Amino acid sequence: MERSEGLIFITGGVRSGKSTFAEKTAESRAAASNGRLHYIAAGKSSDEEMAERILLHQKQRDESGSGWRTWEQPAGIGELSAAFTKRDVLLLDCLTTLLNNELFGTGGRWESPEFQEAVKERILTDIHSLKESAAALIIVSNEVKYEPIETGSVSHIYARLLGRLHQRIVGMAVQAYLVEAGIPLLMKGRKP
């Protein structure tokens, strides 16, 4: 896939401030181009902590006054492409959850290398489709491979797939950031 001038990738550890930074980046992009803001939420409320995190993010967007439109889409994000125009700025939060939903939401086939590859390619195709339909696409993801993971375990397979997705997406991106303790570090591209 070709490099996209409007693709920004933002990653970091859990609760590093990456979602807040991504939202501000999207708001800035939309303000500069008089664009509309869309939030593609891959998360599902599976427990009390996740429900609280979802509510916090919704509250932050509502309080921003920026007019976000939220799309709850835990899988198959490419299905939304037709809803957007070249005036739209999209924020996908987050790739980590999307991969989890796509990989484990269909039953026990996650162990198949062919299925893993198909999931990875489907996500990349969906990302490309979203980017082509909008002015900008900002993708948030988590870094999960900082800790040692037992080779061959479910966690290892998942982390390996996520790492491959990160590499391919960063290859397409004009900017890539690593957020640590609320501080965005530009890892690829030029500052806006």
PDB file of all heavy atoms in Angstrom, residues 111-138:
ATOM      1  N   GLU A 111      -5.824 -19.651  16.165  1.00  0.00           N
ATOM      2  CA  GLU A 111      -4.571 -20.420  16.189  1.00  0.00           C
ATOM      3  C   GLU A 111      -4.015 -20.688  14.796  1.00  0.00           C
ATOM      4  O   GLU A 111      -2.843 -21.019  14.654  1.00  0.00           O
ATOM      5  CB  GLU A 111      -4.788 -21.743  16.924  1.00  0.00           C
ATOM      6  CG  GLU A 111      -5.085 -21.541  18.395  1.00  0.00           C
ATOM      7  CD  GLU A 111      -5.485 -22.819  19.085  1.00  0.00           C
ATOM      8  OE1 GLU A 111      -6.415 -23.497  18.594  1.00  0.00           O
ATOM      9  OE2 GLU A 111      -4.868 -23.127  20.109  1.00  0.00           O
ATOM     10  N   SER A 112      -4.839 -20.537  13.773  1.00  0.00           N
ATOM     11  CA  SER A 112      -4.429 -20.809  12.405  1.00  0.00           C
ATOM     12  C   SER A 112      -3.589 -19.662  11.855  1.00  0.00           C
ATOM     13  O   SER A 112      -4.058 -18.518  11.803  1.00  0.00           O
ATOM     14  CB  SER A 112      -5.670 -21.000  11.529  1.00  0.00           C
ATOM     15  OG  SER A 112      -5.357 -20.828  10.170  1.00  0.00           O
ATOM     16  N   PRO A 113      -2.354 -19.939  11.406  1.00  0.00           N
ATOM     17  CA  PRO A 113      -1.534 -18.881  10.803  1.00  0.00           C
ATOM     18  C   PRO A 113      -2.211 -18.228   9.595  1.00  0.00           C
ATOM     19  O   PRO A 113      -2.063 -17.028   9.375  1.00  0.00           O
ATOM     20  CB  PRO A 113      -0.249 -19.605  10.392  1.00  0.00           C
ATOM     21  CG  PRO A 113      -0.172 -20.776  11.310  1.00  0.00           C
ATOM     22  CD  PRO A 113      -1.602 -21.192  11.532  1.00  0.00           C
ATOM     23  N   GLU A 114      -2.969 -19.010   8.825  1.00  0.00           N
ATOM     24  CA  GLU A 114      -3.671 -18.452   7.670  1.00  0.00           C
ATOM     25  C   GLU A 114      -4.750 -17.456   8.124  1.00  0.00           C
ATOM     26  O   GLU A 114      -4.929 -16.403   7.515  1.00  0.00           O
ATOM     27  CB  GLU A 114      -4.314 -19.567   6.833  1.00  0.00           C
ATOM     28  CG  GLU A 114      -3.315 -20.481   6.150  1.00  0.00           C
ATOM     29  CD  GLU A 114      -2.738 -21.567   7.071  1.00  0.00           C
ATOM     30  OE1 GLU A 114      -3.289 -21.808   8.176  1.00  0.00           O
ATOM     31  OE2 GLU A 114      -1.717 -22.158   6.681  1.00  0.00           O
ATOM     32  N   PHE A 115      -5.460 -17.802   9.186  1.00  0.00           N
ATOM     33  CA  PHE A 115      -6.489 -16.904   9.716  1.00  0.00           C
ATOM     34  C   PHE A 115      -5.842 -15.637  10.270  1.00  0.00           C
ATOM     35  O   PHE A 115      -6.335 -14.535  10.038  1.00  0.00           O
ATOM     36  CB  PHE A 115      -7.309 -17.611  10.798  1.00  0.00           C
ATOM     37  CG  PHE A 115      -8.382 -16.744  11.385  1.00  0.00           C
ATOM     38  CD1 PHE A 115      -9.497 -16.391  10.639  1.00  0.00           C
ATOM     39  CD2 PHE A 115      -8.281 -16.278  12.685  1.00  0.00           C
ATOM     40  CE1 PHE A 115     -10.496 -15.584  11.176  1.00  0.00           C
ATOM     41  CE2 PHE A 115      -9.267 -15.466  13.231  1.00  0.00           C
ATOM     42  CZ  PHE A 115     -10.375 -15.121  12.479  1.00  0.00           C
ATOM     43  N   GLN A 116      -4.728 -15.768  10.974  1.00  0.00           N
ATOM     44  CA  GLN A 116      -4.022 -14.614  11.523  1.00  0.00           C
ATOM     45  C   GLN A 116      -3.615 -13.665  10.402  1.00  0.00           C
ATOM     46  O   GLN A 116      -3.797 -12.445  10.501  1.00  0.00           O
ATOM     47  CB  GLN A 116      -2.782 -15.063  12.298  1.00  0.00           C
ATOM     48  CG  GLN A 116      -3.084 -15.870  13.530  1.00  0.00           C
ATOM     49  CD  GLN A 116      -1.855 -16.610  14.045  1.00  0.00           C
ATOM     50  OE1 GLN A 116      -0.722 -16.276  13.714  1.00  0.00           O
ATOM     51  NE2 GLN A 116      -2.083 -17.634  14.863  1.00  0.00           N
ATOM     52  N   GLU A 117      -3.075 -14.220   9.328  1.00  0.00           N
ATOM     53  CA  GLU A 117      -2.660 -13.402   8.181  1.00  0.00           C
ATOM     54  C   GLU A 117      -3.867 -12.728   7.540  1.00  0.00           C
ATOM     55  O   GLU A 117      -3.807 -11.551   7.164  1.00  0.00           O
ATOM     56  CB  GLU A 117      -1.919 -14.275   7.154  1.00  0.00           C
ATOM     57  CG  GLU A 117      -1.365 -13.516   5.980  1.00  0.00           C
ATOM     58  CD  GLU A 117      -0.259 -12.529   6.327  1.00  0.00           C
ATOM     59  OE1 GLU A 117       0.361 -12.629   7.411  1.00  0.00           O
ATOM     60  OE2 GLU A 117      -0.007 -11.626   5.503  1.00  0.00           O
ATOM     61  N   ALA A 118      -4.969 -13.456   7.414  1.00  0.00           N
ATOM     62  CA  ALA A 118      -6.185 -12.890   6.823  1.00  0.00           C
ATOM     63  C   ALA A 118      -6.719 -11.735   7.668  1.00  0.00           C
ATOM     64  O   ALA A 118      -7.149 -10.708   7.129  1.00  0.00           O
ATOM     65  CB  ALA A 118      -7.245 -13.977   6.654  1.00  0.00           C
ATOM     66  N   VAL A 119      -6.689 -11.882   8.986  1.00  0.00           N
ATOM     67  CA  VAL A 119      -7.138 -10.815   9.883  1.00  0.00           C
ATOM     68  C   VAL A 119      -6.265  -9.578   9.706  1.00  0.00           C
ATOM     69  O   VAL A 119      -6.761  -8.465   9.562  1.00  0.00           O
ATOM     70  CB  VAL A 119      -7.153 -11.289  11.352  1.00  0.00           C
ATOM     71  CG1 VAL A 119      -7.245 -10.117  12.322  1.00  0.00           C
ATOM     72  CG2 VAL A 119      -8.291 -12.266  11.594  1.00  0.00           C
ATOM     73  N   LYS A 120      -4.952  -9.785   9.706  1.00  0.00           N
ATOM     74  CA  LYS A 120      -4.017  -8.661   9.541  1.00  0.00           C
ATOM     75  C   LYS A 120      -4.274  -7.936   8.216  1.00  0.00           C
ATOM     76  O   LYS A 120      -4.386  -6.705   8.186  1.00  0.00           O
ATOM     77  CB  LYS A 120      -2.572  -9.160   9.600  1.00  0.00           C
ATOM     78  CG  LYS A 120      -1.537  -8.055   9.400  1.00  0.00           C
ATOM     79  CD  LYS A 120      -0.129  -8.589   9.383  1.00  0.00           C
ATOM     80  CE  LYS A 120       0.061  -9.424   8.181  1.00  0.00           C
ATOM     81  NZ  LYS A 120       1.149  -9.243   7.318  1.00  0.00           N
ATOM     82  N   GLU A 121      -4.401  -8.670   7.130  1.00  0.00           N
ATOM     83  CA  GLU A 121      -4.607  -8.056   5.825  1.00  0.00           C
ATOM     84  C   GLU A 121      -5.966  -7.365   5.733  1.00  0.00           C
ATOM     85  O   GLU A 121      -6.091  -6.312   5.111  1.00  0.00           O
ATOM     86  CB  GLU A 121      -4.432  -9.083   4.702  1.00  0.00           C
ATOM     87  CG  GLU A 121      -2.991  -9.534   4.538  1.00  0.00           C
ATOM     88  CD  GLU A 121      -2.017  -8.395   4.266  1.00  0.00           C
ATOM     89  OE1 GLU A 121      -2.354  -7.458   3.494  1.00  0.00           O
ATOM     90  OE2 GLU A 121      -0.902  -8.424   4.837  1.00  0.00           O
ATOM     91  N   ARG A 122      -6.995  -7.938   6.353  1.00  0.00           N
ATOM     92  CA  ARG A 122      -8.323  -7.311   6.349  1.00  0.00           C
ATOM     93  C   ARG A 122      -8.278  -5.974   7.091  1.00  0.00           C
ATOM     94  O   ARG A 122      -8.833  -4.976   6.627  1.00  0.00           O
ATOM     95  CB  ARG A 122      -9.357  -8.246   6.973  1.00  0.00           C
ATOM     96  CG  ARG A 122     -10.773  -7.688   6.928  1.00  0.00           C
ATOM     97  CD  ARG A 122     -11.842  -8.683   7.342  1.00  0.00           C
ATOM     98  NE  ARG A 122     -11.623  -9.265   8.648  1.00  0.00           N
ATOM     99  CZ  ARG A 122     -11.330 -10.545   8.881  1.00  0.00           C
ATOM    100  NH1 ARG A 122     -11.208 -11.392   7.871  1.00  0.00           N
ATOM    101  NH2 ARG A 122     -11.163 -10.994  10.100  1.00  0.00           N
ATOM    102  N   ILE A 123      -7.599  -5.943   8.223  1.00  0.00           N
ATOM    103  CA  ILE A 123      -7.481  -4.691   8.977  1.00  0.00           C
ATOM    104  C   ILE A 123      -6.735  -3.645   8.151  1.00  0.00           C
ATOM    105  O   ILE A 123      -7.153  -2.484   8.076  1.00  0.00           O
ATOM    106  CB  ILE A 123      -6.804  -4.927  10.341  1.00  0.00           C
ATOM    107  CG1 ILE A 123      -7.752  -5.706  11.269  1.00  0.00           C
ATOM    108  CG2 ILE A 123      -6.375  -3.606  10.981  1.00  0.00           C
ATOM    109  CD1 ILE A 123      -7.110  -6.176  12.568  1.00  0.00           C
ATOM    110  N   LEU A 124      -5.645  -4.049   7.499  1.00  0.00           N
ATOM    111  CA  LEU A 124      -4.888  -3.104   6.674  1.00  0.00           C
ATOM    112  C   LEU A 124      -5.721  -2.596   5.497  1.00  0.00           C
ATOM    113  O   LEU A 124      -5.677  -1.403   5.167  1.00  0.00           O
ATOM    114  CB  LEU A 124      -3.594  -3.758   6.188  1.00  0.00           C
ATOM    115  CG  LEU A 124      -2.534  -3.984   7.263  1.00  0.00           C
ATOM    116  CD1 LEU A 124      -1.426  -4.888   6.740  1.00  0.00           C
ATOM    117  CD2 LEU A 124      -1.976  -2.667   7.765  1.00  0.00           C
ATOM    118  N   THR A 125      -6.481  -3.476   4.876  1.00  0.00           N
ATOM    119  CA  THR A 125      -7.361  -3.066   3.780  1.00  0.00           C
ATOM    120  C   THR A 125      -8.417  -2.087   4.271  1.00  0.00           C
ATOM    121  O   THR A 125      -8.702  -1.070   3.623  1.00  0.00           O
ATOM    122  CB  THR A 125      -8.025  -4.304   3.137  1.00  0.00           C
ATOM    123  OG1 THR A 125      -6.993  -5.133   2.592  1.00  0.00           O
ATOM    124  CG2 THR A 125      -9.009  -3.912   2.047  1.00  0.00           C
ATOM    125  N   ASP A 126      -9.004  -2.371   5.442  1.00  0.00           N
ATOM    126  CA  ASP A 126     -10.006  -1.469   6.020  1.00  0.00           C
ATOM    127  C   ASP A 126      -9.405  -0.100   6.342  1.00  0.00           C
ATOM    128  O   ASP A 126     -10.033   0.934   6.104  1.00  0.00           O
ATOM    129  CB  ASP A 126     -10.619  -2.083   7.284  1.00  0.00           C
ATOM    130  CG  ASP A 126     -11.607  -3.201   6.982  1.00  0.00           C
ATOM    131  OD1 ASP A 126     -11.940  -3.425   5.801  1.00  0.00           O
ATOM    132  OD2 ASP A 126     -12.038  -3.873   7.949  1.00  0.00           O
ATOM    133  N   ILE A 127      -8.196  -0.089   6.883  1.00  0.00           N
ATOM    134  CA  ILE A 127      -7.517   1.173   7.190  1.00  0.00           C
ATOM    135  C   ILE A 127      -7.279   1.972   5.915  1.00  0.00           C
ATOM    136  O   ILE A 127      -7.532   3.177   5.856  1.00  0.00           O
ATOM    137  CB  ILE A 127      -6.210   0.910   7.966  1.00  0.00           C
ATOM    138  CG1 ILE A 127      -6.534   0.510   9.407  1.00  0.00           C
ATOM    139  CG2 ILE A 127      -5.272   2.122   7.922  1.00  0.00           C
ATOM    140  CD1 ILE A 127      -5.352  -0.018  10.190  1.00  0.00           C
ATOM    141  N   HIS A 128      -6.811   1.296   4.887  1.00  0.00           N
ATOM    142  CA  HIS A 128      -6.579   1.965   3.608  1.00  0.00           C
ATOM    143  C   HIS A 128      -7.887   2.553   3.062  1.00  0.00           C
ATOM    144  O   HIS A 128      -7.921   3.696   2.585  1.00  0.00           O
ATOM    145  CB  HIS A 128      -5.978   0.981   2.614  1.00  0.00           C
ATOM    146  CG  HIS A 128      -5.695   1.583   1.281  1.00  0.00           C
ATOM    147  ND1 HIS A 128      -4.655   2.449   1.061  1.00  0.00           N
ATOM    148  CD2 HIS A 128      -6.345   1.472   0.100  1.00  0.00           C
ATOM    149  CE1 HIS A 128      -4.662   2.835  -0.198  1.00  0.00           C
ATOM    150  NE2 HIS A 128      -5.679   2.255  -0.807  1.00  0.00           N
ATOM    151  N   SER A 129      -8.953   1.797   3.162  1.00  0.00           N
ATOM    152  CA  SER A 129     -10.259   2.257   2.686  1.00  0.00           C
ATOM    153  C   SER A 129     -10.736   3.493   3.450  1.00  0.00           C
ATOM    154  O   SER A 129     -11.225   4.452   2.845  1.00  0.00           O
ATOM    155  CB  SER A 129     -11.272   1.112   2.825  1.00  0.00           C
ATOM    156  OG  SER A 129     -12.533   1.508   2.389  1.00  0.00           O
ATOM    157  N   LEU A 130     -10.594   3.481   4.764  1.00  0.00           N
ATOM    158  CA  LEU A 130     -10.972   4.651   5.564  1.00  0.00           C
ATOM    159  C   LEU A 130     -10.148   5.869   5.178  1.00  0.00           C
ATOM    160  O   LEU A 130     -10.677   6.967   5.020  1.00  0.00           O
ATOM    161  CB  LEU A 130     -10.795   4.364   7.059  1.00  0.00           C
ATOM    162  CG  LEU A 130     -11.813   3.452   7.714  1.00  0.00           C
ATOM    163  CD1 LEU A 130     -11.406   3.170   9.160  1.00  0.00           C
ATOM    164  CD2 LEU A 130     -13.212   4.054   7.657  1.00  0.00           C
ATOM    165  N   LYS A 131      -8.854   5.676   5.044  1.00  0.00           N
ATOM    166  CA  LYS A 131      -7.971   6.795   4.716  1.00  0.00           C
ATOM    167  C   LYS A 131      -8.316   7.402   3.363  1.00  0.00           C
ATOM    168  O   LYS A 131      -8.333   8.617   3.204  1.00  0.00           O
ATOM    169  CB  LYS A 131      -6.508   6.336   4.761  1.00  0.00           C
ATOM    170  CG  LYS A 131      -5.536   7.352   4.234  1.00  0.00           C
ATOM    171  CD  LYS A 131      -5.703   8.694   4.941  1.00  0.00           C
ATOM    172  CE  LYS A 131      -5.163   9.808   4.124  1.00  0.00           C
ATOM    173  NZ  LYS A 131      -6.159  10.764   3.677  1.00  0.00           N
ATOM    174  N   GLU A 132      -8.612   6.547   2.403  1.00  0.00           N
ATOM    175  CA  GLU A 132      -8.924   7.038   1.064  1.00  0.00           C
ATOM    176  C   GLU A 132     -10.248   7.797   1.022  1.00  0.00           C
ATOM    177  O   GLU A 132     -10.458   8.612   0.132  1.00  0.00           O
ATOM    178  CB  GLU A 132      -8.942   5.877   0.068  1.00  0.00           C
ATOM    179  CG  GLU A 132      -7.572   5.301  -0.183  1.00  0.00           C
ATOM    180  CD  GLU A 132      -6.571   6.339  -0.663  1.00  0.00           C
ATOM    181  OE1 GLU A 132      -6.861   7.050  -1.643  1.00  0.00           O
ATOM    182  OE2 GLU A 132      -5.494   6.462  -0.049  1.00  0.00           O
ATOM    183  N   SER A 133     -11.120   7.548   1.975  1.00  0.00           N
ATOM    184  CA  SER A 133     -12.431   8.199   1.957  1.00  0.00           C
ATOM    185  C   SER A 133     -12.468   9.493   2.764  1.00  0.00           C
ATOM    186  O   SER A 133     -13.460  10.203   2.723  1.00  0.00           O
ATOM    187  CB  SER A 133     -13.497   7.235   2.485  1.00  0.00           C
ATOM    188  OG  SER A 133     -13.294   6.978   3.850  1.00  0.00           O
ATOM    189  N   ALA A 134     -11.398   9.815   3.498  1.00  0.00           N
ATOM    190  CA  ALA A 134     -11.403  10.968   4.401  1.00  0.00           C
ATOM    191  C   ALA A 134     -10.195  11.868   4.158  1.00  0.00           C
ATOM    192  O   ALA A 134      -9.255  11.492   3.460  1.00  0.00           O
ATOM    193  CB  ALA A 134     -11.407  10.487   5.848  1.00  0.00           C
ATOM    194  N   ALA A 135     -10.228  13.048   4.776  1.00  0.00           N
ATOM    195  CA  ALA A 135      -9.098  13.972   4.686  1.00  0.00           C
ATOM    196  C   ALA A 135      -7.907  13.473   5.488  1.00  0.00           C
ATOM    197  O   ALA A 135      -6.760  13.625   5.080  1.00  0.00           O
ATOM    198  CB  ALA A 135      -9.515  15.355   5.179  1.00  0.00           C
ATOM    199  N   ALA A 136      -8.181  12.886   6.648  1.00  0.00           N
ATOM    200  CA  ALA A 136      -7.105  12.397   7.515  1.00  0.00           C
ATOM    201  C   ALA A 136      -7.631  11.244   8.362  1.00  0.00           C
ATOM    202  O   ALA A 136      -8.808  11.200   8.714  1.00  0.00           O
ATOM    203  CB  ALA A 136      -6.594  13.512   8.426  1.00  0.00           C
ATOM    204  N   LEU A 137      -6.733  10.333   8.683  1.00  0.00           N
ATOM    205  CA  LEU A 137      -7.023   9.210   9.568  1.00  0.00           C
ATOM    206  C   LEU A 137      -5.935   9.154  10.625  1.00  0.00           C
ATOM    207  O   LEU A 137      -4.752   9.088  10.296  1.00  0.00           O
ATOM    208  CB  LEU A 137      -7.074   7.895   8.796  1.00  0.00           C
ATOM    209  CG  LEU A 137      -7.197   6.610   9.624  1.00  0.00           C
ATOM    210  CD1 LEU A 137      -8.476   6.606  10.456  1.00  0.00           C
ATOM    211  CD2 LEU A 137      -7.134   5.388   8.707  1.00  0.00           C
ATOM    212  N   ILE A 138      -6.351   9.212  11.874  1.00  0.00           N
ATOM    213  CA  ILE A 138      -5.435   9.115  13.007  1.00  0.00           C
ATOM    214  C   ILE A 138      -5.728   7.797  13.705  1.00  0.00           C
ATOM    215  O   ILE A 138      -6.882   7.519  14.051  1.00  0.00           O
ATOM    216  CB  ILE A 138      -5.616  10.310  13.962  1.00  0.00           C
ATOM    217  CG1 ILE A 138      -5.309  11.613  13.218  1.00  0.00           C
ATOM    218  CG2 ILE A 138      -4.733  10.149  15.199  1.00  0.00           C
ATOM    219  CD1 ILE A 138      -5.767  12.862  13.926  1.00  0.00           C
TER     220      ILE A 138
END
